[in-house]
Amino acid sequence: MVYPAHHRQIVEELMSGKFLLNNEEHFNSLKENESFYTEFFKISFDLELIMKPEFSYLLSKDTQENFSRDVSIFIAILSYELDRDGRNFIESFDFNEFTFEEIDNYFLNSSFIDLIESNKTLRDNESRRTLLNGMARRNIIYKTFEDRFTFTQAYKVFVDFAKELALKRIKGEPETQNAE
Amino acid sequence: MIKAEPRTILNFLNTYFDVVRDLFEYQQQDGIITKEVFDMICHKHGAQMKSRLREYRVVRSIGSDFEMRDVYFKLMEFLLFEFKPLLPETIEKYKGAIAELFMKIRKSEHSDRDILQERIKNLSGQVREFVDLVERNAFRLLAETRDLKSNIDRVQYREKVHKASFWIEYYILPLNRILDVNHSESVTSKLVEVCEYANRKRLDYSDETTRSEYEKLYTQLIQTNQDLLKQSKILTNELLPLLERIRTESLILTGFIEFLRNPYKVETPPLLKGTRTMVYAKDMYFKVREFFEQFQIEAPVIVENSEADFDRWIFDRTLFKEKLSASMPVNDFFGWCFKALKKDFDQIETDKFFAVTGLLFDEELQIDYSKKSERVSIETTTSILDVPKLKIEPAIKL
């Protein structure tokens, strides 16, 4: 049997929880063989392959995952602070480069300080570095230098989540809650 | 019929502009000027004010209340640049009026010349009013949208989404349909049709004065179509994307704020759970090595030898205490300290001397002060110390 090009890289990266981005060579191979990979991941590992125009990733049935929550809180606070600073946060996510120092300043002066201090992955500069390194490993951000990064299009997963939540709340629908 | 001269009325408006503006603001806000408000505004200017306002036809009675006449209301709107955005339904009525007049013009092409010219003039008047309304509406909508964007009033995100959606749904999209030249039912497409007709008739109509009327209408319509195109561009290129962005952005922020209210009670986007590597896995060796290697990167440590001469002498309290006990009673404590040190060192530094004098605080010693207030001088490497002569004896234990 002949496997698609970059097969091993595609499987390894997706299985390690990485987002595959459309500017990467193996993304094209994944896109061209979408139906094969959808079936492959479903049958082999019972995982769902999500294909978006800009990125793709895998989902498991078990969604109890703290990393997603920490990133959601991080992006939510950053969006709020950028907006408060008069910046268009979507444009900033799309085009701007952020420095760790800038992020620290936003978080230190945030009105969500209680939430930040109670979260062990956000509470201080060092914890935020660890979270950002985790986000870089998963391709949610791209580190341009040791202390600088840009967001990849994968941030849209979290923005879409916020949009859906807002629509649910505006319509007055109860959303499903975690069993914590 | 107004008896007063036009200049008199303009002078009145100039002198009492504040009064007319107050009336305008009340009318704009409530749609009517109640009797109480009218009395309050006119009160300080005497009884003549009310009669003047009626005489110059600025207001008219509606039961016991009043309303500002349309011509003055529009003048004030124009002067203060305070236009209320009109619902596009209000603007769309011009389509009916323009279409009706155009149809009659075409039908009466060969009938009475005077009525034909009158209809052309009326059509021109309708077009003028239409363009004016569209411009005012676009201007007002742009101002409202920018206000919403700058959000000076600190409108909540949810309210912003609502407002942006409201402007898009009820004002901008319908207005855009009116202005869309590609839409066969739009007012603009009707104007293009009139313009083409006027273009033909200004050249081939038999009567010269009517040809001249068509010429005027044609010139007006060419300019009108350019103006409408400009307004349409503002709507589609600036207003619509801006409002869409406000709506989307605010919606996302509303979502984030709702989420941050209680982030541990909402399901976040599901991602793939990281897999744990088992000790028997093939890549375990590499992963463990990678883990430990991160601690092996050690920054080089540079130790520099201090150039300064560093004396490592440490005061041995027990030794000196034994020496002191052996010498007791001591008549001059400080002198003894100096001599004790002198046995070991040629030069006595002040800090060494002070270290030894610390023995004085021992509880097992009894200190007697000289009654004659005798003092002794101790010379260290850096200082000459003038100290009292103290007699030391073992303390009497009770």
Side-chain angles (χ1 to χ4, degrees):
Chain A
M1 181 177 175
V2 179
Y3 286 100
H6 309 285
H7 175 71
R8 187 172 173 175
Q9 195 181 2
I10 291 169
V11 176
E12 274 184 357
E13 291 192 1
L14 285 174
M15 288 293 286
S16 65
K18 244 185 173 181
F19 285 84
L20 252 59
L21 306 173
N22 64 356
N23 58 359
E24 293 170 318
E25 203 186 335
H26 50 306
F27 180 85
N28 292 332
S29 174
L30 174 68
K31 203 172 154 191
E32 282 162 18
N33 302 285
E34 189 183 336
S35 54
F36 164 76
Y37 279 111
T38 306
E39 199 183 324
F40 172 82
F41 284 114
K42 186 69 196 163
I43 292 172
S44 316
F45 308 102
D46 196 19
L47 297 174
E48 190 188 347
L49 176 69
I50 307 287
M51 279 298 289
K52 301 268 178 187
E54 299 109 337
F55 56 86
S56 78
Y57 61 106
L58 282 180
L59 278 189
S60 58
K61 279 182 182 168
D62 182 4
T63 56
Q64 294 287 315
E65 218 233 358
N66 285 331
F67 180 74
S68 164
R69 182 171 313 282
D70 295 336
V71 177
S72 302
I73 298 175
F74 175 81
I75 292 182
I77 293 175
L78 185 60
S79 305
Y80 182 85
E81 293 304 328
L82 286 170
D83 181 77
R84 208 168 54 89
D85 201 17
R87 290 170 68 178
N88 182 322
F89 66 95
I90 295 290
E91 270 177 24
S92 300
F93 288 161
D94 277 334
F95 307 113
N96 287 15
E97 188 181 58
F98 294 89
T99 63
F100 283 6
E101 193 187 348
E102 191 183 356
I103 298 291
D104 288 339
N105 280 336
Y106 279 129
F107 276 72
L108 281 175
N109 299 312
S110 172
S111 52
F112 288 101
I113 193 71
D114 291 345
L115 172 63
I116 294 166
E117 284 178 350
S118 68
N119 183 304
K120 64 176 189 243
T121 56
L122 293 170
R123 64 161 68 121
D124 53 39
N125 301 1
E126 282 310 310
S127 338
R128 285 193 288 271
R129 301 283 178 283
T130 313
L131 178 69
L132 285 165
N133 285 335
M135 287 166 72
R137 270 198 299 278
R138 294 221 186 189
N139 268 353
I140 300 169
I141 60 165
Y142 173 70
K143 278 173 88 172
T144 43
F145 288 99
E146 197 44 49
D147 62 342
R148 286 165 184 272
F149 67 91
T150 55
F151 277 92
T152 69
Q153 291 300 303
Y155 83 83
K156 288 186 176 164
V157 169
F158 301 93
V159 159
D160 288 344
F161 148 72
K163 219 189 286 180
E164 279 166 27
L165 180 65
L167 286 171
K168 276 183 193 165
R169 294 274 165 104
I170 287 170
K171 285 179 193 162
E173 285 176 24
E175 63 281 336
T176 46
Q177 291 194 345
N178 277 353
E180 279 174 59
Chain B
M1 174 88 185
I2 306 176
K3 286 179 198 163
E5 287 290 318
R7 279 176 198 277
T8 317
I9 299 174
L10 285 176
N11 277 337
F12 170 80
L13 288 177
N14 183 25
T15 317
Y16 297 105
F17 185 75
D18 291 344
V19 175
V20 183
R21 188 179 56 197
D22 286 350
L23 290 171
F24 166 76
E25 279 169 3
Y26 276 103
Q27 166 95 34
Q28 197 185 36
Q29 206 175 321
D30 304 334
I32 201 151
I33 304 157
T34 58
K35 186 176 180 304
E36 291 74 30
V37 169
F38 188 68
D39 289 344
M40 183 192 74
I41 293 172
C42 299
H43 175 69
K44 52 187 168 189
H45 301 286
Q48 251 196 340
M49 177 56 72
K50 287 183 186 175
S51 59
R52 287 267 174 82
L53 286 169
R54 280 201 209 95
E55 188 193 335
Y56 301 154
R57 299 171 76 87
V58 177
V59 292
R60 70 170 181 162
S61 309
I62 302 284
S64 59
D65 298 327
F66 298 88
E67 73 171 12
M68 185 177 255
R69 284 181 185 270
D70 202 42
V71 62
Y72 286 99
F73 188 82
K74 281 185 175 151
L75 175 68
M76 292 304 285
E77 262 190 335
F78 175 73
L79 291 175
L80 299 171
F81 240 66
E82 280 190 15
F83 308 111
K84 250 191 161 174
L86 286 173
L87 277 169
E89 293 93 293
T90 317
I91 300 172
E92 209 166 11
K93 71 180 179 195
Y94 286 96
K95 186 186 147 199
I98 290 167
E100 179 85 0
L101 278 164
F102 181 48
M103 191 185 73
K104 286 194 172 162
I105 287 169
R106 283 166 73 164
K107 278 188 180 168
S108 60
E109 208 176 303
H110 302 294
S111 57
D112 190 341
R113 193 185 67 172
D114 291 342
I115 190 70
L116 178 64
Q117 288 183 9
E118 211 48 47
R119 279 177 181 146
I120 294 171
K121 279 178 190 160
N122 267 272
L123 181 64
S124 169
Q126 291 292 306
V127 170
R128 202 176 304 122
E129 278 181 28
F130 169 70
V131 176
D132 200 38
L133 273 183
V134 168
E135 272 183 4
R136 275 167 26 182
N137 242 30
F139 168 81
R140 193 65 221 167
L141 287 172
L142 201 57
E144 293 278 352
T145 308
R146 282 175 183 157
D147 279 355
L148 199 59
K149 177 73 187 161
S150 66
N151 203 10
I152 299 290
D153 301 331
R154 308 310 301 163
V155 179
Q156 290 290 310
Y157 292 108
R158 204 180 264 205
E159 180 66 8
K160 251 173 115 173
V161 177
H162 176 74
K163 274 197 170 181
S165 306
F166 173 78
W167 288 123
I168 291 175
E169 190 177 344
Y170 295 109
Y171 285 85
I172 298 185
L173 290 181
L175 190 57
N176 214 21
R177 275 197 293 276
I178 292 172
L179 298 182
D180 185 5
V181 73
N182 298 318
H183 197 289
S184 61
E185 291 300 304
S186 74
V187 185
T188 313
S189 72
K190 181 56 75 186
L191 288 179
V192 171
E193 200 185 328
V194 178
C195 184
E196 281 167 5
Y197 181 80
N199 188 23
R200 276 202 313 276
K201 294 294 158 194
R202 77 187 170 112
L203 300 171
D204 66 8
Y205 200 79
S206 52
D207 176 59
E208 195 184 339
T209 49
T210 314
R211 263 210 316 273
S212 152
E213 287 303 326
Y214 274 125
E215 174 79 40
K216 277 190 240 163
L217 181 66
Y218 172 72
T219 317
Q220 182 200 18
L221 284 170
I222 290 285
Q223 184 58 46
T224 302
N225 286 337
Q226 279 176 11
D227 290 348
L228 289 178
L229 192 66
K230 201 169 103 190
Q231 298 307 324
S232 178
K233 273 186 184 162
I234 291 177
L235 287 181
T236 49
N237 296 347
E238 190 164 347
L239 267 177
L240 214 50
L242 193 60
L243 276 174
E244 277 294 354
R245 217 164 60 203
I246 291 171
R247 183 158 73 166
T248 324
E249 253 181 47
S250 308
L251 198 63
I252 294 166
L253 271 181
T254 306
F256 277 144
I257 290 165
E258 287 292 316
F259 167 64
L260 289 172
R261 271 185 221 285
N262 202 342
Y264 300 100
K265 290 282 176 199
V266 182
E267 257 187 28
T268 47
L271 298 177
L272 187 68
K273 199 172 182 178
T275 49
R276 195 185 300 157
T277 312
M278 298 300 173
V279 283
Y280 46 81
K282 265 200 299 184
D283 58 349
M284 187 62 195
Y285 169 71
F286 295 102
K287 289 204 169 165
V288 171
R289 205 169 78 172
E290 190 189 359
F291 178 77
F292 282 104
E293 272 173 358
Q294 68 177 314
F295 302 111
Q296 286 180 346
I297 306 162
E298 285 177 6
V301 180
I302 299 162
V303 181
E304 283 182 23
N305 286 326
S306 172
E307 293 289 313
D309 186 16
F310 184 67
D311 194 343
R312 286 190 158 270
W313 182 77
I314 298 165
F315 174 54
D316 185 345
R317 191 179 181 85
T318 321
L319 178 71
F320 277 82
K321 201 176 160 190
E322 278 172 10
K323 284 183 182 176
L324 181 65
S325 301
S327 318
M328 273 203 277
V330 175
N331 287 325
D332 173 11
F333 173 72
F334 290 113
W336 178 88
C337 291
F338 187 74
K339 280 174 195 159
L341 281 168
K342 201 72 182 168
K343 282 177 188 167
D344 296 334
F345 303 101
D346 290 338
Q347 302 281 319
I348 312 292
E349 287 88 9
T350 309
D351 54 344
K352 275 184 191 158
F353 179 72
F354 280 152
V356 181
T357 57
L359 291 171
L360 193 63
F361 303 108
D362 199 310
E363 283 180 357
E364 290 173 10
L365 299 177
Q366 187 187 319
I367 308 159
D368 288 328
Y369 301 93
S370 163
K371 284 175 187 157
K372 294 176 194 168
S373 302
E374 285 176 276
R375 301 185 77 81
V376 286
S377 194
I378 304 289
E379 195 174 338
T380 66
T381 48
T382 52
S383 326
I384 296 170
L385 306 164
D386 183 33
V387 287
K389 193 172 179 180
L390 303 176
K391 189 180 178 186
I392 303 290
E393 283 176 313
I396 301 157
K397 285 182 183 164
L398 296 172

